Amino acid sequence: MKRLSALLSFLPLVSLAVAAEPMRVGDPHSPAWVAASEVLYRDGSFKEPWGLSDAIREQVQKQSMAFALRTAGLHEDLEEGARPPRDLCAGVPPLNPDAPSMRSKIFYDPRIDHFDLTVLTSRVAVLATVSDLITGFRANGDPGLLLELSEVVPLHHRSALPAYALIPTDQVVIHGRVFCADELRREYAFQRPEVGDRVVLIGSLWVPESVVRPWFYYEGRFSVVRGTKAGESALDWATGYEEDTAFGIGNTPVPSVPADTLLGLHEYMDELQVSGLFEWVDSRLSDPHGDSEAREQFIKAWKSARDAGCRPRATRDEKTDVWQLDCDSRTIEASLFAPPDAVDGEVAVP
């Protein structure tokens, strides 16, 4: 089988035609992100639109007014979408990296440690170019950037092709005013992408708006192609851990990443694709990407297999034409990955 990375060199780059930029992402009445043009007038003052969360309403109003009072319009020439110095933030606490950590329950998910599982349960895995930065606000009131994508190429044959990606930002210029993430202890260590950068996006998808969420630390991964390593295009990974660190949440597990070069990532995806796992997961779960009890059980079973020292691979039984999960030439116990429709206590062999 030819290597996927070789095949990709012959594929046309896919440019998605989108009728209009999404003004809201997620539930329209309780959006995960809303465009700045929905919330602010061109002079940076608040619009009072419908359906915003209290967090967005309070943060945007507070910071917009605080910046206007503090600067008296001295920074109206700030470039839209730029990342300004932190000392221009107004209406948020000053940075204090030595402040006590915030109290937070650290949530563990097996996808933190197992990149195979992240890819198999993510609807999107692509390489794309950032063609525009669209400013806006996330549900918690912090600023967020919607990356408009072009030249989108799938990293495996099951990936959807998104038109946009949503990422957080610690501070950003919107309509001549500076808006900043609240409660930060320190600035994000990750250098955000800019227009023209090539990015790797792996994660869940808001289907109606064609928006991928690659930053959330256990559901996806995000990388910018920057510089070279050993003569190959290098990957600068962001995993969501940077956001928790900036907010002062300690002891957060750092998610795994499979490769530090683009070539290494292509080779990893090639190996995963020929393993048969995509087909096997499809045979186990009617929708590998949708929230369900069966999907939660599958993720827990995967962790049990890995804890037992197994990196699962799948093979098709030539006699029965059924996909079977193997681990170093030994079949994993059938009950471990039993389908959700088992009858009378019996389970089918995966």
Side-chain angles (χ1 to χ4, degrees):
M1 182 175 182
K2 293 184 179 180
R3 297 180 63 254
L4 177 62
S5 53
L7 290 172
L8 286 175
S9 64
F10 297 101
L11 288 174
L13 297 180
V14 181
S15 297
L16 298 179
V18 181
E21 295 174 356
M23 303 305 292
R24 300 187 179 210
V25 174
D27 183 349
H29 299 282
S30 181
W33 176 90
V34 58
S37 57
E38 281 272 276
V39 183
L40 299 169
Y41 293 106
R42 290 301 305 172
D43 64 358
S45 58
F46 190 67
K47 274 187 176 181
E48 198 70 42
W50 64 271
L52 291 185
S53 68
D54 290 340
I56 293 178
R57 188 181 306 278
E58 292 171 4
Q59 279 297 321
V60 175
Q61 281 183 307
K62 178 181 70 173
Q63 293 192 41
S64 177
M65 293 176 63
F67 185 83
L69 291 172
R70 178 176 171 182
T71 63
L74 294 178
H75 297 281
E76 291 180 356
D77 58 343
L78 289 171
E79 181 183 355
E80 183 76 7
R83 183 178 181 270
R86 185 72 184 181
D87 58 13
L88 289 183
C89 293
V92 297
L95 296 180
N96 182 10
D98 297 326
S101 295
M102 297 171 61
R103 292 185 178 182
S104 177
K105 182 179 180 181
I106 303 302
F107 178 76
Y108 176 79
D109 186 285
R111 287 168 290 184
I112 293 171
D113 294 325
H114 308 307
F115 193 84
D116 290 1
L117 187 57
T118 299
V119 176
L120 290 169
T121 57
S122 294
R123 193 177 295 273
V124 172
V126 299
L127 177 67
T129 297
V130 178
S131 56
D132 195 12
L133 302 176
I134 305 168
T135 57
F137 301 95
R138 298 192 294 158
N140 65 353
D142 288 349
L145 291 172
L146 198 65
L147 311 182
E148 184 177 357
L149 307 175
S150 61
E151 302 176 324
V152 182
V153 176
L155 291 174
H156 61 72
H157 69 296
R158 298 298 178 93
S159 176
L161 300 179
Y164 302 93
L166 178 61
I167 66 169
T169 184
D170 44 16
Q171 52 248 14
V172 65
V173 176
I174 303 176
H175 298 353
R177 302 187 185 189
V178 174
F179 293 88
C180 303
D182 194 20
E183 296 184 348
L184 285 188
R185 300 314 198 245
R186 64 196 73 186
E187 294 176 309
Y188 291 168
F190 180 72
Q191 181 185 345
R192 80 178 202 191
E194 301 295 343
V195 172
D197 284 342
R198 291 289 276 171
V199 293
V200 173
L201 305 163
I202 299 170
S204 56
L205 186 72
W206 279 287
V207 175
E209 301 89 355
S210 193
V211 176
V212 59
R213 181 179 66 172
W215 190 284
F216 199 52
Y217 72 96
Y218 65 88
E219 283 193 352
R221 302 291 187 271
F222 174 52
S223 181
V224 181
V225 181
R226 288 197 178 104
T228 60
K229 183 174 184 179
E232 301 292 341
S233 297
L235 297 177
D236 181 13
W237 288 97
T239 59
Y241 176 76
E242 299 83 1
E243 189 172 10
D244 285 338
T245 300
F247 275 84
I249 300 175
N251 302 318
T252 306
V254 181
S256 64
V257 291
D260 55 8
T261 66
L262 189 55
L263 177 60
L265 182 62
H266 281 311
E267 291 174 344
Y268 165 84
M269 290 291 181
D270 291 348
E271 179 186 355
L272 188 62
Q273 190 158 240
V274 300
S275 71
L277 283 172
F278 284 102
E279 291 79 2
W280 181 82
V281 170
D282 286 345
S283 73
R284 297 296 86 197
L285 299 174
S286 58
D287 182 2
H289 316 298
D291 291 333
S292 66
E293 182 178 351
R295 186 172 186 259
E296 292 179 3
Q297 292 174 348
F298 168 80
I299 291 174
K300 290 179 181 178
W302 183 279
K303 180 180 184 300
S304 297
R306 290 303 303 265
D307 288 348
C310 167
R311 186 184 183 189
R313 286 293 178 265
T315 56
R316 187 188 294 275
D317 188 304
E318 294 182 359
K319 295 182 179 180
T320 64
D321 201 34
V322 173
W323 282 100
Q324 183 168 305
L325 200 63
D326 293 332
C327 178
D328 301 327
S329 299
R330 56 187 173 87
T331 302
I332 296 176
E333 184 181 356
S335 60
L336 185 65
F337 286 95
D341 55 353
V343 179
D344 296 328
E346 298 181 357
V347 296
V349 176

